[in-house]
Amino acid sequence: GYVEDLNTITAIKLYEYYKKMISECKIDIFVSGDINGVTQIVEQNINIQKLQERKPNYKINKIEPKETVQEKEIKEEMDVTQGKITIGLDLHLDNEKQQYDVMVYNAILGGGANSRLFQNVREKESLAYTAGSSYLKPKNMIFIRCGIEIQNYNKALETVKVQLDDLKNGKIEEEDIENAKKLIIASVKSITSEQDTEITYYYGQELAGTLIEISDYENKVNAVTKEQIQEIANSVSINTIYFLKD
């Protein structure tokens, strides 16, 4: 939304929207903890009994192949002391199951302290304060981010591209794969350590139209091979390079 929209919101509009949600939107009830008797309580609730079964009114994003676009570079200026590089990578996938391959690829590329970006851009070359990447599944993209000294832009960008090329050429060690899988699985196992986190996970599954149990998630990550990771590396193309400087 936009900041200026706030001025048009009134108590009456909020109440009308509330009634619209209650009467039309799909309602999911998640319970975590001692669930004995909860089902009965929910089923016998008078207000819930009045509700009809509803289908979600949203589109579930499926992984679809992307068209290759011409790489573009955008530079903007602001009163900053540190330069920011963000690189958008398109993933040209045609299979939902490849998301696990992407997770391992992303972990190797920039998912943690053992990743290529952290070890080479930050540690080895000392070109960045921070260097990493994240996988955004709904957009079928990976975002690389680096915080750098502004004068290091060209060298940092070149070093990032070397890491992408190395992975495309299969320069992937078994230790890289093992560390990446451990990182992902540790994160997945931590989901059940907090109730809010666990509910958020299963709500995300609901929105995606899937249901992957935690144990299945681990098995799918562990099954990823070097060949599959390299296939992902070769499906990646740079969409946009964005640089914020002073």
Side-chain angles (χ1 to χ4, degrees):
Y2 301 91
V3 174
E4 52 267 27
D5 292 341
L6 293 173
N7 296 325
T8 66
I9 297 175
T10 65
I12 293 174
K13 286 184 177 180
L14 283 176
Y15 182 60
E16 290 299 322
Y17 186 66
Y18 163 77
K19 290 194 296 184
K20 180 180 174 64
M21 285 196 300
I22 292 297
S23 62
E24 298 179 11
C25 293
K26 183 176 183 290
I27 298 173
D28 294 296
I29 299 174
F30 293 86
V31 182
S32 177
D34 185 358
I35 63 173
N36 291 328
V38 171
T39 301
Q40 185 178 4
I41 293 171
V42 171
E43 290 175 345
Q44 293 178 354
N45 184 279
I46 295 175
N47 290 317
I48 292 178
Q49 288 177 355
K50 295 177 182 178
L51 301 176
Q52 296 179 342
E53 186 71 24
R54 304 168 187 174
K55 293 183 179 181
N57 186 24
Y58 60 84
K59 179 183 177 182
I60 298 175
N61 290 325
K62 296 293 184 181
I63 289 180
E64 296 177 353
K66 284 191 172 187
E67 293 183 7
T68 301
V69 298
Q70 185 174 357
E71 177 184 315
K72 57 182 177 289
E73 185 177 35
I74 298 173
K75 294 183 180 181
E76 290 187 341
E77 295 182 0
M78 188 181 288
D79 185 16
V80 293
T81 57
Q82 183 185 111
K84 302 288 186 182
I85 300 176
T86 299
I87 302 174
L89 304 176
D90 284 332
L91 289 159
H92 304 279
L93 310 181
D94 56 8
N95 188 333
E96 287 281 337
K97 295 179 181 178
Q98 287 182 292
Q99 64 175 298
Y100 301 99
D101 307 343
V102 178
M103 289 177 190
V104 179
Y105 168 80
N106 177 68
I108 294 173
L109 175 63
N114 290 316
S115 69
R116 296 296 178 85
L117 293 176
F118 191 93
Q119 287 296 321
N120 290 281
V121 183
R122 185 184 186 277
E123 296 293 298
K124 184 178 178 181
E125 299 293 340
S126 299
L127 294 169
Y129 303 107
T130 59
S133 64
S134 54
Y135 170 38
L136 195 60
K137 181 187 171 186
K139 296 293 184 182
N140 206 13
M141 294 184 73
I142 288 176
F143 287 96
I144 294 173
R145 61 199 180 280
C146 300
I148 66 169
E149 291 283 357
I150 294 169
Q151 67 270 19
N152 290 337
Y153 173 67
N154 290 326
K155 180 63 175 175
L157 181 58
E158 178 188 345
T159 306
V160 168
K161 288 185 174 182
V162 167
Q163 310 317 309
L164 295 173
D165 288 340
D166 281 351
L167 292 176
K168 288 181 179 181
N169 293 326
K171 294 182 179 179
I172 307 169
E173 304 295 333
E174 286 301 320
E175 184 180 2
D176 295 331
I177 300 173
E178 184 179 348
N179 287 335
K181 290 180 177 180
K182 285 180 179 178
L183 180 71
I184 297 168
I185 290 172
S187 176
V188 171
K189 285 184 174 179
S190 70
I191 289 172
T192 57
S193 63
E194 294 185 7
Q195 289 173 301
D196 285 350
T197 306
E198 188 171 17
I199 289 174
T200 300
Y201 171 78
Y202 283 108
Y203 182 53
Q205 297 285 304
E206 174 73 15
L207 292 177
T210 59
L211 179 57
I212 306 296
E213 297 293 346
I214 302 297
S215 57
D216 292 337
Y217 206 112
E218 293 180 36
N219 292 334
K220 291 178 185 296
V221 169
N222 277 322
V224 175
T225 66
K226 176 181 176 180
E227 290 72 26
Q228 290 169 325
I229 297 167
Q230 188 176 356
E231 184 179 350
I232 297 300
N234 282 286
S235 79
V236 166
S237 66
I238 295 177
N239 180 312
T240 304
I241 299 170
Y242 174 82
F243 181 44
L244 179 65
K245 60 178 183 174
D246 64 1

